[in-house]
Amino acid sequence: MQIDLLQEARRQAEICNACRYCEGYCSVFPALHEERMFTDGNLTQLANLCHNCRGCYYACQYTAPHEFDLNLPKALAEVRQDSWETFAWPGPLAHWFQKSGVLIAVATIVGFALLFLAFRALGSSGGEGFYAVLSHSAMVTIFLPAFLFPLFSIGISLRRYWRATDGKSVKMSDIFDAFVSAARMKNLAGGHGDGCNFEDEDRFSQARRLAHQAVMYGFLLCFASTSVGTLMHYLLDMPAPYPLWSLPKLLGIPGGILMVLGTVKLAYLKLNADKDLGAPSAWGGEMAFILLLFLVALSGLLLYGLGNTAAMPTMLAIHLGSVLSFFPLTPYTKMAHGFYRLAALVRDAQRKSKA
Amino acid sequence: MTITCDIAVIGGGNAALCAAITAAEKGAKVVILETAPKAYRGGNSRHTRNFRCMHAGPLDPLVDDYSEEEYFEDLLKVTAGKTDEKLARLAIRTSEECLPWMQEHGVRFQPSLSGTLSLARTNAFFMGGGKSLVNAYYRTAEKLGVTAFYEANVIHLELDGDAVRHIDYTHEGEAKRLAPKAVIVASGGFQADIDWLTRAWGPAAQNFLIRGTPYNRGVVLADLLEQDVQSVGDPTQCHAVAIDGRAPKYDGGIVTRLDCVPFSIVVNKDAERFYDEGEDVWPKRYAIWGRLVANQPDQVGYVIIDAKSLNLFMPSVFPPIKADTLEELADKMGLPAEKLRNTVESFNAACGDTSDFHPTELDGVATSGLTPPKTNWARPITEPPFYGYSLRTGVTFTYLGLKVDESAQCSTANGPIRNLWAAGETMAGSILGQGYLAGFGMAIGTVFGRIAGREAANYAN
Ligand SMILES: Cc1cc2nc3c(=O)[nH]c(=O)nc-3n(C[C@H](O)[C@H](O)[C@H](O)COP(=O)(O)OP(=O)(O)OC[C@H]3O[C@@H](n4cnc5c(N)ncnc54)[C@H](O)[C@@H]3O)c2cc1C
Ligand code: SF4
Ligand code: SF4
């Protein structure tokens, strides 16, 4: 990991440790105040506990032009970003995609192209609905590795994270604790429940928390919808397309709508927030990732709407193409943050139960 | 641009904001004139962490109770009786209703910070500290239609008989004049004016560090005193503590505090000890060390500890100077090496049985036959590496202020000034003649800020 980024985070953490005024904002501070010297592992863990709510920046009496030049959200964002690049496997991919919106766009276009080529070359071999465009077995052949590979890759990354942060063997109670806090996005409430400072300097608002919840739950609903669909296909021999009053649609449509609304709001917030309180170099990559998620969700919804029209094959290519770039990029884009965040929360639960 | 308003509030810290909000809620048109730029708005209030509050039962976030009597007794202990009882009791009694008022106006509290559990009953801690409190109040004030001008430096209040006629100030460098119906002064003490401090205290003050804002230069205070507005408090005194000698000249705030003195020996620049480092627990001795250091040559002290004491106190902002031998440490700190060794050796020789050593209680582990003695926590300094910090005098605030009555109104020898009120540090000398009680500054500012805002609005309406 980059020494200068760690060194800057260390300098700031030492100031916070002498101050402690922000102790109530989030779980970073109680963890920070337990140390006296900060190892690289400590800082990596603190960085992944921080979700860039910015409360501690606007509350800080030592921000520039003060000579102490505190900007903890930025210092931690830089270390966090760097840690994701360091732990990713294969490493160089993260190095490219985390920071580059252009590369994410290129990957998405490659995804479309692959799908069109597949339609052309493989075709339907006599299926119905979507499978008239591309056969079910061809879809599985393409998407199964695209789905399994990132899981494997993330597994390696998390192991690396765990080693670096000196993690202990995981207990059920640690995991439970972590999931409860993630599900409520407790930390994004800002300690006092008024939200975070993302939109308009020191004004607290719930916007980012709500938008993020919408995307997260929307994504989980869509994921559940696909999983249910897969089970129905294999176990019940009920292939897609499904009618409105079916489980895949009842999960997928609200999920898609939540994702669309949430990503639009997140993109809007990101445009308004001060770039210099995050990792500025990663801004483009993060924004492209939000837009890719938006595209996945919107094309999914449109596909449902246009399923019986001539536009369907094109829509299908766009949807599947964006999904095809989204999944393999997971370990190398902002999408990885969810996994690291959970790991950091589990690690923090271990710290708390020890203390 | 000419601005019209009912009330001008001078200053942009806690007292000013409480006054402005209260007056605006009563329908007055209020402007705030704050000399600092926006990034540094909020005076010393931006450096605070808590508010001392009376309460009859648990009052979120405070536990148990804290009665008026106990609060008042705590105050008497630190001021050695130099307290105006009527005003002090008013501040104490009103502090209880202030806490919910603060919450209603955007302030958020948190449980007492790690390392300050002893204050969980008496002091309510601001989540994020004083700057977040100041931010919340500015937001609230704005919503109520208060206009805040930054870089608006008030230089003169024209007093004519029993009323202030107008205010002269500069705004972003341009001379301006304002004639509000009523004026509230909440512009703090004069500690950031080193020349004034030097006149008051003596040349030693040149070497003092100012813990808070560089903008509290007492300009308005001096202007009013010149026009014979009544004052209170010892003009030569300031509240000072010992802080890390490497702290910035201004605005170092809380992080420059050093808690290691009880586990150390402290020497002057000639490597001689000059006071009992173990006299009492540190929070009770924090303030006298400011004076002790001020009386040493060059107004500097040096704390020496060894490896076994390093983790016994709260970390501070600058890492200690570290060396494997005392000579090397002396060298790095600019102390006479031979002399330091002798001082440490005679201290070590005077230490006795240390088996009762207890870092958080008066343990009676003392030196014998040494002058000055060390009466608690006296353990020989023997284990390398050795660590050192320099100490300087850090000024918190000055005592001289405007004398006010229970309605926060100022006066001359001829009686009250019809349209002038004062709140916060600038009138705290009316209550606090000496010493300091943690969290009382914000209590005074909140209570009297609200009183001043109310009275000024009643007058202006
Ligand atoms: C490091 C530190 C920590 C502290 N911690 C605590 C604590 O935890 N609890 C507590 O109760 N107290 C604490 N205090 C004391 C506390 O800061 C003061 O009692 C309190 O802030 C005073 O509030 P105020 O509004 O009167 O003054 P300030 O907050 O100092 O505000 C004065 C304002 O007047 C402005 N001003 C000055 N001159 C002019 C002028 N000529 N024209 C226009 N504006 C002017 C200044 O810019 C400033 O905005 C602390 C002090 C320091 C230095
Ligand atoms: S961010 Fe600033 S105010 Fe908050 S704990 Fe750190 S130094 Fe203190
Ligand atoms: S930005 Fe928010 S989450 Fe991160 S350290 Fe500061 S307060 Fe905590």
Side-chain angles (χ1 to χ4, degrees), chain A residues 22 25-29 49-57 72-73 76 187:
Chain A
C22 293
Y25 274 130
C26 68
S27 44
V28 171
F29 292 97
L49 273 178
C50 168
H51 45 78
N52 202 241
C53 79
R54 304 166 173 214
C56 66
Y57 176 84
L72 194 64
L76 294 182
N187 282 296

Short mmCIF file of all heavy atoms in Angstrom, two decimals, chain A residues 22 25-29 49-57 72-73 76 187, ligand 3:
data_model
loop_
_atom_site.label_atom_id
_atom_site.label_comp_id
_atom_site.label_asym_id
_atom_site.label_seq_id
_atom_site.Cartn_x
_atom_site.Cartn_y
_atom_site.Cartn_z
N CYS A 22 -15.18 13.93 18.04
CA CYS A 22 -16.11 13.28 17.10
C CYS A 22 -16.49 11.87 17.52
O CYS A 22 -17.10 11.14 16.72
CB CYS A 22 -15.49 13.25 15.71
SG CYS A 22 -15.33 14.91 15.03
N TYR A 25 -19.82 10.16 16.38
CA TYR A 25 -20.35 10.17 15.02
C TYR A 25 -20.48 8.78 14.39
O TYR A 25 -21.41 8.51 13.65
CB TYR A 25 -19.48 11.03 14.10
CG TYR A 25 -19.85 12.50 14.13
CD1 TYR A 25 -18.89 13.47 14.32
CD2 TYR A 25 -21.17 12.90 13.95
CE1 TYR A 25 -19.22 14.82 14.34
CE2 TYR A 25 -21.51 14.24 13.98
CZ TYR A 25 -20.53 15.20 14.17
OH TYR A 25 -20.88 16.51 14.19
N CYS A 26 -19.49 7.94 14.58
CA CYS A 26 -19.48 6.68 13.84
C CYS A 26 -18.55 5.70 14.52
O CYS A 26 -17.92 6.04 15.52
CB CYS A 26 -18.98 6.92 12.42
SG CYS A 26 -17.23 7.40 12.41
N SER A 27 -18.44 4.49 13.97
CA SER A 27 -17.63 3.49 14.64
C SER A 27 -16.13 3.67 14.40
O SER A 27 -15.33 2.97 15.00
CB SER A 27 -18.09 2.09 14.25
OG SER A 27 -18.31 2.05 12.87
N VAL A 28 -15.75 4.60 13.53
CA VAL A 28 -14.31 4.84 13.32
C VAL A 28 -13.66 5.30 14.63
O VAL A 28 -12.60 4.81 15.02
CB VAL A 28 -14.07 5.90 12.23
CG1 VAL A 28 -12.60 6.31 12.17
CG2 VAL A 28 -14.53 5.38 10.88
N PHE A 29 -14.30 6.25 15.30
CA PHE A 29 -13.63 6.90 16.43
C PHE A 29 -13.42 5.99 17.65
O PHE A 29 -12.32 5.96 18.19
CB PHE A 29 -14.32 8.22 16.78
CG PHE A 29 -14.14 9.23 15.68
CD1 PHE A 29 -15.11 9.41 14.72
CD2 PHE A 29 -12.96 9.94 15.57
CE1 PHE A 29 -14.93 10.30 13.67
CE2 PHE A 29 -12.76 10.84 14.53
CZ PHE A 29 -13.74 11.03 13.58
N LEU A 49 -13.96 1.25 7.78
CA LEU A 49 -15.11 1.51 8.65
C LEU A 49 -15.76 2.84 8.31
O LEU A 49 -16.91 3.09 8.64
CB LEU A 49 -14.66 1.56 10.12
CG LEU A 49 -14.60 0.27 10.90
CD1 LEU A 49 -14.09 0.56 12.31
CD2 LEU A 49 -15.97 -0.40 10.95
N CYS A 50 -15.00 3.72 7.68
CA CYS A 50 -15.51 5.06 7.35
C CYS A 50 -16.36 4.99 6.09
O CYS A 50 -16.00 4.35 5.12
CB CYS A 50 -14.35 6.01 7.13
SG CYS A 50 -14.85 7.59 6.39
N HIS A 51 -17.53 5.62 6.11
CA HIS A 51 -18.35 5.62 4.91
C HIS A 51 -18.50 7.03 4.37
O HIS A 51 -19.48 7.34 3.70
CB HIS A 51 -19.70 4.96 5.16
CG HIS A 51 -20.28 5.43 6.44
ND1 HIS A 51 -20.88 6.64 6.56
CD2 HIS A 51 -20.25 4.87 7.66
CE1 HIS A 51 -21.22 6.81 7.82
NE2 HIS A 51 -20.85 5.77 8.51
N ASN A 52 -17.55 7.89 4.72
CA ASN A 52 -17.47 9.19 4.08
C ASN A 52 -18.74 10.02 4.29
O ASN A 52 -19.22 10.69 3.38
CB ASN A 52 -17.17 9.01 2.57
CG ASN A 52 -16.57 10.25 1.96
OD1 ASN A 52 -17.15 10.83 1.03
ND2 ASN A 52 -15.45 10.69 2.44
N CYS A 53 -19.24 10.04 5.52
CA CYS A 53 -20.44 10.85 5.79
C CYS A 53 -20.07 12.32 5.95
O CYS A 53 -20.91 13.20 5.86
CB CYS A 53 -21.14 10.37 7.05
SG CYS A 53 -20.37 10.94 8.56
N ARG A 54 -18.82 12.58 6.28
CA ARG A 54 -18.25 13.94 6.34
C ARG A 54 -18.61 14.72 7.58
O ARG A 54 -18.28 15.89 7.70
CB ARG A 54 -18.63 14.72 5.09
CG ARG A 54 -18.18 13.95 3.86
CD ARG A 54 -18.75 14.40 2.57
NE ARG A 54 -18.09 13.66 1.50
CZ ARG A 54 -17.81 14.15 0.32
NH1 ARG A 54 -18.16 15.36 0.02
NH2 ARG A 54 -17.19 13.42 -0.57
N GLY A 55 -19.32 14.07 8.51
CA GLY A 55 -19.68 14.74 9.76
C GLY A 55 -18.45 15.28 10.46
O GLY A 55 -18.43 16.41 10.95
N CYS A 56 -17.39 14.45 10.49
CA CYS A 56 -16.21 14.85 11.25
C CYS A 56 -15.43 15.94 10.54
O CYS A 56 -14.60 16.60 11.15
CB CYS A 56 -15.32 13.64 11.51
SG CYS A 56 -14.62 12.93 10.02
N TYR A 57 -15.67 16.13 9.26
CA TYR A 57 -14.98 17.23 8.58
C TYR A 57 -15.61 18.57 8.97
O TYR A 57 -14.93 19.50 9.39
CB TYR A 57 -15.02 17.05 7.07
CG TYR A 57 -14.40 18.24 6.34
CD1 TYR A 57 -13.02 18.31 6.16
CD2 TYR A 57 -15.18 19.30 5.89
CE1 TYR A 57 -12.44 19.40 5.54
CE2 TYR A 57 -14.60 20.40 5.28
CZ TYR A 57 -13.23 20.44 5.10
OH TYR A 57 -12.65 21.52 4.50
N LEU A 72 -10.22 14.25 7.60
CA LEU A 72 -10.20 12.81 7.86
C LEU A 72 -10.99 12.03 6.81
O LEU A 72 -10.54 10.97 6.37
CB LEU A 72 -10.71 12.53 9.28
CG LEU A 72 -10.43 11.12 9.78
CD1 LEU A 72 -8.94 10.87 9.91
CD2 LEU A 72 -11.13 10.87 11.11
N PRO A 73 -12.16 12.52 6.36
CA PRO A 73 -12.88 11.76 5.34
C PRO A 73 -12.02 11.53 4.10
O PRO A 73 -12.02 10.44 3.52
CB PRO A 73 -14.07 12.66 4.99
CG PRO A 73 -14.27 13.52 6.18
CD PRO A 73 -12.92 13.70 6.81
N LEU A 76 -8.99 9.04 4.90
CA LEU A 76 -9.44 7.64 4.99
C LEU A 76 -9.92 7.14 3.63
O LEU A 76 -9.72 5.97 3.29
CB LEU A 76 -10.54 7.51 6.05
CG LEU A 76 -10.10 7.76 7.50
CD1 LEU A 76 -11.26 7.55 8.46
CD2 LEU A 76 -8.92 6.89 7.90
N ASN A 187 -24.53 3.66 10.81
CA ASN A 187 -23.49 4.69 10.87
C ASN A 187 -23.80 5.90 10.00
O ASN A 187 -23.42 7.01 10.32
CB ASN A 187 -22.15 4.09 10.49
CG ASN A 187 -21.56 3.30 11.65
OD1 ASN A 187 -21.27 3.86 12.67
ND2 ASN A 187 -21.46 1.99 11.48
S1 SF4 C 3 -16.50 10.80 7.44
FE1 SF4 C 3 -18.17 10.06 8.75
S2 SF4 C 3 -17.83 7.86 8.81
FE2 SF4 C 3 -15.91 8.75 8.13
S3 SF4 C 3 -14.73 9.06 9.99
FE3 SF4 C 3 -15.83 10.97 9.58
S4 SF4 C 3 -17.68 10.80 10.81
FE4 SF4 C 3 -16.85 8.73 10.61
#
